[in-house]
Amino acid sequence: MSLEEFRAETRAWLEANCPKSMRSPIKSEADICWGGRNWEFKSEDQRLWLERMAEKGWTVPTWPKEYGGAGLSKEEAFVLKEEMRRINARSPLDSFGIWMLGPALLKFGTHEQKLEHLPPIARGEIRWCQGYSEPGAGSDLASLRTKGVLAGDHYVVNGQKVWTSYADKSDWIFALVRTEPEAPKHEGISFLLIDMDQPGVTTKPIKLISGKSPFCETFFDDARALVKNRLGKAGEGWTIAKYLLSHERASIVSEAGFGGLNPVTAAQTAGEVDEKGRIADPILRGKVAELTIDGLAFEATMRRVKEEADHGEGVGARASALKYLGTEINKRRHELNMSALGSDGLLWEGDREEDGEVARNWLRARANSIEGGTSEIQLNIVAKRVLELPGG
Amino acid sequence: MSFILNEEEQMLRDSAKAFLAQSAPVSALRKLRDESDPVGFSKQLWASMAEMGWTGILVEEDHGGVDMGYAAAGLLLQEMGRTLTASPFLATSVLAASALKLAGTDAQKAAWLPKIAAGETVIAFAVDERARHNPDHVETRATKDGNGFRLNGKKRFVSCGMGADAVIVAARTEDDRINLFLVDTGAKGVERTPRRTVDSHVPADFAFDDVKLDGDALLAGAEDSETAYRHVLDAGRACLAAESLGVAEEAFDRTIDYIKEREQFGQPIGSFQGLQHRAAHLYSEMELARTLVLKALRVLDETPSQAPLWCAAAKAKATAVSRLAGSEGIQMYGGVGMTDEYDIGLYYKRAQAAGEFLGDDSWAAGQVAKLAGY
């Protein structure tokens, strides 16, 4: 089938199958469908939309068919994305299983592991969270101490993870666990898939400066992880973790696509514009113009790097520069939103559902340059791997 | 629109790199400076550029050029930025050639474009009358006089003005519109004064005292002169941004090489996180500038209606990034970066001068705000 035929078929199918209420931009986090054992659909349309898309393999279009995908080529997947965007179709399913674990499983998993875990991710039946950071292991992730001791067909896991997004709502966790205590720190870590529905796993939410938070602490107290659910060899977890982090960075970067409120509309909303519609404060206007230029530059750079990658030049460690730039620019945007709104931006609680959202988003954005590797870590990577500066 | 260079463009860039390393290294600029060259560029180099077809990069084949477009012109300037090449390329082959192409009559094109392509003439482009760039601030007047005009006014810091045979002057006519006039620099009433600048270039201040112009001095072709004037400036901005990017890239590469070698406390200073973060930040910013420069050049060639926004954005970013590359370079070189013996200071100086010409980053950001409607 040619790409044009594929486009026509896709368009017709989407027209026929995407429910009307799923054709508008998501307004808040409540509109996102995460799936999982305990998921309650927000509407019948949300359920229908997920079922129909999963049936086609279009929740994970490029995955092989036997693992729940549609086996589409990159070009076809891009057409699907364009056609979905054309009608403002919402993503039928968002999950760390799709963004992070899936790519790692596809690359490092055995056929049996893929068959067991990928299709439930594609259908939204199992919701995953990521167990990487620990209280003593943030930027220096490889110093983690959660330990797993081999006992027959399983590991006994003890320790604590932190910043596990949505751990309280997830079914399984993919975690980095120290299984070879005698090995050098990067070589003693294994990548384990752990069912959270067992007595040894507990979670506790963490409250953030933005007032709400998806983050939790996760505790393992003699929890069990079957050896067959270890991805890769024992002690090979760091390699997998690094691969997975590059996917996480890419997804944080693409989230930094600059939709939503911008400082210009913020200034207009607050009435802080002159008779020509220009931002009244000339210094704020200048800052916004600089942000506009960097925003245009960033979006075009994402396209350039993608084009270069398709052309065989590879992205590699340049992803770190993009993560750094994207998240720093996004923080600036939220800061300027707040400045442009003045005291209106300070609203924390009110009568309407969206009251407080601007301030919460502003506070949430502070984490962009911390999560997925801090800006400083990204700069380290650029310095060492792109610029090849000598090690300290 | 593609961000990938095609084969022809890659070949052009590679041959430019090789040629400039041989014929116009940084030492050539030093020589022009130390010998107080009266025009600030080498006529011999200009002739060599003509032999390679560079001078006619924007000129149609009918008029003896190669007509490769702005992306190609920008690639050449990027390489010239790397070697700090002083030449009339931007003034003549980009600005003057664009003005003639857009606003010239058939007769004007036939008379001048072949000469530009052949490297037989240098034409300067005169815009500014004050210290800061402002294309709307034109007080120079061209008043009707029989079939011709009388030109009165002043222009400042005209690039390559001392070596120019002619200069295209932006002047207001009686209807208050801005028009472009091609003026012989030897005409009676034209006075020019050299201004030796920090980057070792020699722009000229022009005074026009009742200069008598023939009717055909007015560029009055297919396109309205004022529209052409603004488009020429956009094109100049994108091409100059490409030069600034080249200046930044070379300053950056030299700095990275230097901090890998230079030792303090028994180790290369490039191993210190303080410098690594500054270098990685600069690298990231340069990635943004690279994108905007290529985007603006492609837009000029493919979708010129979008040129004002992208050319201003490219100029703003390339200006800021090249200044940062120069200043970070000097900082990381340390004391020797302040000496004339090392080249890094020359890059810093050119970054400042190229940044100022045709609008610096603040001015260009102001344009972006205006074009975006806020």
Side-chain angles (χ1 to χ4, degrees), chain B residues 21-82:
Chain B
Q22 180 69 37
S23 307
V26 179
S27 57
L29 179 72
R30 287 181 177 276
K31 189 160 174 286
L32 291 166
R33 179 192 70 175
D34 295 343
E35 292 174 356
S36 294
D37 189 276
V39 300
F41 59 85
S42 156
K43 298 225 159 143
Q44 194 194 334
L45 179 69
W46 184 239
S48 305
M49 287 183 177
E51 274 170 34
M52 287 185 300
W54 294 7
T55 50
I57 197 91
L58 295 175
V59 175
E60 293 100 327
E61 289 173 21
D62 291 353
H63 294 306
V66 294
D67 201 13
M68 282 181 70
Y70 287 105
L75 283 176
L76 290 177
L77 272 159
Q78 196 173 339
E79 293 305 319
M80 292 186 218
R82 278 186 168 266

Side-chain angles (χ1 to χ4, degrees), chain A residues 210-222:
Chain A
S210 59
K212 54 183 176 184
S213 149
F215 295 115
C216 297
E217 294 175 291
T218 303
F219 302 90
F220 300 104
D221 186 13
D222 284 341

Side-chain angles (χ1 to χ4, degrees), chain B residues 4-344:
Chain B
I4 309 288
L5 297 185
N6 64 37
E7 214 171 305
E8 204 180 12
E9 288 165 342
Q10 279 177 33
M11 277 168 55
L12 182 74
R13 186 187 59 188
D14 293 345
S15 68
K17 206 182 270 291
F19 170 78
L20 292 166
Q22 180 69 37
S23 307
V26 179
S27 57
L29 179 72
R30 287 181 177 276
K31 189 160 174 286
L32 291 166
R33 179 192 70 175
D34 295 343
E35 292 174 356
S36 294
D37 189 276
V39 300
F41 59 85
S42 156
K43 298 225 159 143
Q44 194 194 334
L45 179 69
W46 184 239
S48 305
M49 287 183 177
E51 274 170 34
M52 287 185 300
W54 294 7
T55 50
I57 197 91
L58 295 175
V59 175
E60 293 100 327
E61 289 173 21
D62 291 353
H63 294 306
V66 294
D67 201 13
M68 282 181 70
Y70 287 105
L75 283 176
L76 290 177
L77 272 159
Q78 196 173 339
E79 293 305 319
M80 292 186 218
R82 278 186 168 266
T83 52
L84 299 179
T85 304
S87 86
F89 181 82
L90 181 77
T92 302
S93 298
V94 174
L95 296 171
S98 295
L100 282 160
K101 271 174 81 170
L102 289 165
T105 61
D106 288 345
Q108 285 164 337
K109 288 183 197 177
W112 292 98
L113 289 174
K115 283 192 188 176
I116 290 176
E120 286 165 8
T121 188
V122 168
I123 308 179
F125 192 84
V127 188
D128 285 317
E129 301 176 10
R130 289 188 187 170
R132 281 183 65 77
H133 174 70
N134 184 349
D136 293 318
H137 183 92
V138 173
E139 286 180 354
T140 296
R141 288 270 159 192
T143 40
K144 208 89 175 112
D145 180 35
N147 288 332
F149 299 89
R150 294 273 177 179
L151 186 69
N152 281 287
K154 287 185 173 129
K155 293 287 178 182
R156 301 186 64 194
F157 288 90
V158 177
S159 175
C160 293
M162 292 313 293
D165 307 304
V167 56
I168 295 176
V169 180
R172 282 194 196 275
T173 39
E174 278 133 330
D175 57 3
D176 221 35
R177 289 183 66 77
I178 297 169
N179 275 281
L180 298 174
F181 295 87
L182 188 82
V183 181
D184 186 334
T185 51
K188 191 164 175 291
V190 176
E191 195 193 332
R192 55 182 161 177
T193 316
R195 305 298 301 265
R196 292 189 176 273
T197 47
V198 66
D199 56 340
S200 306
H201 284 222
V202 191
D205 280 359
F206 278 86
F208 305 102
D209 182 15
D210 221 21
V211 179
K212 193 170 169 11
L213 303 178
D214 288 340
D216 66 3
L218 172 66
L219 301 193
E223 188 156 348
D224 156 36
S225 210
E226 183 158 338
T227 310
Y229 167 64
R230 295 188 190 278
H231 191 71
V232 169
L233 292 175
D234 284 335
R237 266 170 216 129
C239 289
L240 193 53
E243 185 189 334
S244 290
L245 175 61
V247 169
E249 287 178 329
E250 183 67 20
F252 180 72
D253 289 351
R254 287 170 179 240
T255 304
I256 295 298
D257 287 346
Y258 183 78
I259 66 174
K260 284 178 181 171
E261 297 297 322
R262 165 78 170 157
E263 291 195 358
Q264 293 279 270
F265 305 104
Q267 35 186 318
I269 60 175
S271 67
F272 301 139
Q273 199 175 52
L275 295 198
Q276 289 192 347
H277 282 192
R278 296 173 76 139
H281 168 74
L282 176 54
Y283 168 84
S284 304
E285 288 285 300
M286 289 204 335
E287 284 285 81
L288 297 182
R290 276 192 196 107
T291 306
L292 283 178
V293 166
L294 187 54
K295 173 86 187 182
L297 293 167
R298 292 267 194 248
V299 161
L300 282 166
D301 287 327
E302 295 172 24
T303 49
S305 63
Q306 299 172 11
L309 176 70
W310 289 101
C311 292
K315 185 67 169 69
K317 196 69 198 172
T319 293
V321 166
S322 66
R323 278 201 305 244
L324 183 66
S327 64
E328 289 291 80
I330 291 179
Q331 181 68 24
M332 292 195 207
Y333 268 80
V336 296
M338 294 295 294
T339 65
D340 184 60
E341 185 190 340
Y342 280 73
D343 289 338
I344 189 70

Side-chain angles (χ1 to χ4, degrees), chain A residues 264 278 285 288-289 292 294 297 300-301 304 307 311 318 324-325 376 379-380 382 384 386-391, chain B residues 2-4 252 259-260 268 270-271 273 276-277 280-281 283-284 287-288 290-292 313 316-317 365 369 374:
Chain A
V264 179
R278 298 185 311 189
R285 181 168 177 257
V288 173
T292 302
D294 281 344
T301 300
R304 171 166 72 87
E307 204 181 321
H311 204 252
R318 286 203 298 168
Y324 167 67
L325 287 167
E376 288 67 28
L379 292 174
N380 285 348
V382 171
K384 299 222 163 59
V386 182
L387 307 179
E388 296 176 342
L389 290 172
Chain B
S2 170
F3 283 110
I4 309 288
F252 180 72
I259 66 174
K260 284 178 181 171
S271 67
Q273 199 175 52
Q276 289 192 347
H277 282 192
H281 168 74
Y283 168 84
S284 304
E287 284 285 81
L288 297 182
R290 276 192 196 107
T291 306
L292 283 178
K317 196 69 198 172
Y374 60 81

Side-chain angles (χ1 to χ4, degrees), chain A residues 337-352:
Chain A
N337 281 346
M338 290 295 283
S339 295
L341 282 168
S343 53
D344 283 355
L346 303 176
L347 193 64
W348 191 244
E349 281 165 4
D351 303 335
R352 299 169 310 165

Side-chain angles (χ1 to χ4, degrees), chain A residues 115-127:
Chain A
L115 272 183
E116 180 182 351
H117 295 293
L118 289 174
I121 290 174
R123 293 191 298 262
E125 292 164 0
I126 294 294
R127 184 170 179 180

